[in-house]
Amino acid sequence: MNYNSTRDASVSISFEEAVMGGMGSSGGLFMPRALPRLSSAELDAMPGQSFPELALRIISPFVDGEIPEPELADLVAGAFDFPLAMPRLDKNTSVLELFHGPTCAFKDFGARFMARTMSYFAQRKGQRVHIIVATSGDTGSAVGSAFQDLPGFSVTILYPKGLISPLQEKQLSTFSGNVRALAVSGCFDDCQRMVKSAFTDAQLRSKLPLSSANSINIARLVPQASYYAWAASQVAASGKLSGAAGKDRPECVMVVPSGNFGNLTAGLLAAEAGLPIDLFIAATNSNRPVPEYLESGDYRPRDSIATISNAMDVGSPSNFERMQAMYDLGSLRQRVRGIWVSDADTRAAIRDCKQKTAYTMEPHGAVAWKAWQSLSPDILEKARERGIGDVQAVLFETAHPAKFSEVVRQELGFDPELPERLKDVMSKPDNSLPMACDYKAFKDYLLALPQ
Ligand SMILES: *Cc1c(COP(=O)(O)O)cnc(C)c1O
């Protein structure tokens, strides 16, 4: 499989080069030159498969032999050694729980596959790699946890001291061994600037083999297509994945709370592979350039606005470039409906969902709940007109409610129970190091690391 860049169609590189390179030199994002398509037999076999088996079928065509199949199977099984769940909320609605990984957010799927893939390629060449990553929340803990104890890798995470939630800070500061967090006296943008300065510092790079665990890495995107396949298999139940909506299986709508649009783009890859997903709903908070683009045809990225669903506070989503490379406006509109949800409506949605279904949503999942409440009457009506009786919506819940307990407590009056793995984190010692908001100090720290 060859990959090109969204900004340079003449680029032609391998999966390994795309993963280890992260981003094209012109700033473009890597995409497969031809999108993989599964056969009807492969699709129809999926409902009987375990999640790692099914993920292997989805991921394998993208890797295309660059990791031999038995080793890729082990890698996938190791990355996805935690469960998924999809409880039913009502007649038409289920919730896909993507928070059962080690750091309790869906970013574990992408980060764990990417870490193992980078490790496979680096070890073959005897490379040592130092990863630096700036985080404003969930990414740092997913990346740190994914690289913890992986041979050949060390990781430095920069976070803005005191500006992330106490639970998030605890998750970051308790890393040890080959992963270390720096508590920077500055804001997220300062952390990001220090990381960027390191990448453009030729003297530092000649001494330390630096890499990034960037969220636009293709190895973070592709594995996310797997849980769409799993969810579509649950929706089809005893029906046929290769069949027609309304005849062989229910119509299937995926409702995806979106920020940087990696999750939604992975869904588009799954649909192109042949998975029976009839419609996507791209649900954002007030950071809404994509829903506006779908509505008006005008794309206006801008600075992000702070909201209560803060993992989606992205004003200029990176993966929009991939969506544009895949579809023109008309084709995108056939597949995706956009909608944005205010903080006030998100809070009301947490209460509404609890009252109607007894289910506790955190703010990101609540954005999906509100989006489906708003659009479902029209979608169900249109399906009836086409003679389709059964429509099933899958709402993505991207984080555990305990990660956003403050908002949940304000709306529902109780604290969600901390899962065991977060309780473990709370009892570990803090190992983070204070770091001045100063590139020189950061560089000295990196140069003093054991090589
Ligand atoms: C990162 C994140 C999102 C947004 O996902 P994208 O792939 O960036 O659209 C949504 N919810 C949570 C909890 C996240 O951490």
Side-chain angles (χ1 to χ4, degrees):
M1 171 75 69
N2 276 316
Y3 287 77
N4 66 13
S5 157
T6 49
R7 293 193 195 167
D8 185 354
S10 71
V11 168
S12 179
I13 60 173
S14 64
F15 176 68
E16 174 176 355
E17 288 168 312
V19 172
M20 299 313 265
M23 189 190 255
S25 52
S26 53
L29 310 192
F30 296 128
M31 277 294 269
R33 287 183 155 256
L35 295 176
R37 185 132 193 116
L38 299 169
S39 68
S40 302
E42 284 173 307
L43 290 171
D44 290 334
M46 285 187 165
Q49 291 172 346
S50 70
F51 181 67
E53 286 171 331
L54 196 151
L56 181 63
R57 294 277 61 79
I58 297 288
I59 293 168
S60 178
F62 290 91
V63 179
D64 201 18
E66 289 182 49
I67 303 175
E69 197 79 358
E71 277 154 290
L72 185 62
D74 286 349
L75 190 157
V76 167
F80 306 136
D81 62 351
F82 54 88
L84 281 122
M86 199 166 116
R88 181 65 86 101
L89 296 186
D90 64 32
K91 184 162 69 70
N92 298 107
T93 318
S94 301
V95 53
L96 177 62
E97 295 182 344
L98 297 172
F99 53 72
H100 296 291
T103 70
C104 298
F106 86 96
K107 290 193 171 65
D108 284 326
F109 286 90
R112 287 172 70 82
F113 179 77
M114 179 181 68
R116 283 165 174 76
T117 304
M118 288 176 95
S119 169
Y120 174 85
F121 289 131
Q123 265 184 312
R124 239 183 9 171
K125 295 196 169 136
Q127 281 172 320
R128 292 193 54 79
V129 181
H130 189 82
I131 304 262
I132 48 179
V133 57
T135 184
S136 59
D138 292 333
T139 299
S141 52
V143 168
S145 158
F147 282 99
Q148 184 83 70
D149 302 328
L150 272 195
F153 282 85
S154 51
V155 179
T156 300
I157 301 166
L158 291 86
Y159 71 88
K161 185 173 172 52
L163 296 182
I164 60 178
S165 82
L167 182 74
Q168 285 175 326
E169 178 149 15
K170 192 74 190 168
Q171 280 186 301
L172 294 172
S173 66
T174 50
F175 284 121
S176 58
N178 66 329
V179 180
R180 183 56 63 103
L182 303 180
V184 176
S185 321
C187 67
F188 171 65
D189 294 323
D190 297 323
C191 296
Q192 200 147 39
R193 251 192 307 276
M194 285 159 75
V195 168
K196 282 197 180 135
S197 301
F199 277 110
T200 52
D201 183 335
Q203 193 220 3
L204 176 69
R205 297 202 71 168
S206 70
K207 299 213 165 99
L208 194 67
L210 286 186
S211 185
S212 83
N214 212 298
S215 67
I216 43 84
N217 195 305
I218 190 76
R220 269 180 71 172
L221 195 67
V222 166
Q224 295 181 2
S226 310
Y227 48 71
Y228 285 89
W230 188 82
S233 303
Q234 307 292 307
V235 166
S238 52
K240 277 176 97 130
L241 283 191
S242 66
K247 216 164 112 250
D248 309 295
R249 58 171 181 86
E251 181 172 297
C252 175
V253 183
M254 300 284 185
V255 190
V256 188
S258 295
N260 215 16
F261 279 79
N263 213 348
L264 193 99
T265 303
L268 294 170
L269 293 178
E272 287 297 324
L275 268 311
I277 303 164
D278 302 289
L279 182 69
F280 293 91
I281 296 179
T284 70
N285 57 30
S286 304
N287 295 284
R288 53 185 185 271
V290 174
E292 280 179 359
Y293 169 73
L294 288 164
E295 176 89 31
S296 70
D298 241 3
Y299 185 62
R300 288 190 303 118
R302 60 203 91 147
D303 288 346
S304 65
I305 306 164
T307 74
I308 55 167
S309 48
N310 63 346
M312 310 199 296
D313 291 350
V314 182
S316 176
S318 315
N319 283 293
F320 181 70
E321 204 162 312
R322 284 195 168 109
M323 292 161 67
Q324 267 196 313
M326 290 173 78
Y327 305 111
D328 59 27
L329 177 60
S331 327
L332 194 62
R333 277 177 173 157
Q334 282 171 11
R335 292 166 174 80
V336 184
R337 289 187 57 174
I339 183 165
W340 68 275
V341 177
S342 69
D343 272 1
D345 284 350
T346 305
R347 287 182 182 277
I350 293 174
R351 298 192 302 269
D352 181 54
C353 180
K354 185 72 179 176
Q355 196 204 338
K356 288 189 177 135
T357 71
Y359 192 84
T360 303
M361 288 281 191
E362 56 70 57
H364 304 81
V367 165
W369 171 264
K370 173 64 186 176
W372 176 241
Q373 299 309 301
S374 302
L375 296 179
S376 56
D378 180 49
I379 290 169
L380 296 175
E381 174 61 28
K382 289 215 169 91
R384 265 194 299 276
E385 284 166 12
R386 291 198 310 276
I388 295 173
D390 190 8
V391 177
Q392 290 299 323
V394 180
L395 316 187
F396 285 31
E397 180 48 296
T398 46
H400 192 285
K403 278 197 118 170
F404 295 89
S405 57
E406 197 170 297
V407 179
V408 173
R409 188 188 325 119
Q410 284 160 4
E411 299 314 316
L412 302 180
F414 67 90
D415 277 316
E417 166 115 45
L418 271 189
E420 283 305 320
R421 56 206 187 283
L422 288 184
K423 278 189 204 153
D424 285 349
V425 167
M426 296 311 278
S427 67
K428 284 188 191 164
D430 286 343
N431 293 313
S432 69
L433 298 170
M435 176 57 61
C437 185
D438 169 29
Y439 176 62
K440 173 81 172 50
F442 177 49
K443 181 176 175 178
D444 289 345
Y445 169 81
L446 290 175
L447 285 171
L449 286 172
Q451 296 296 301

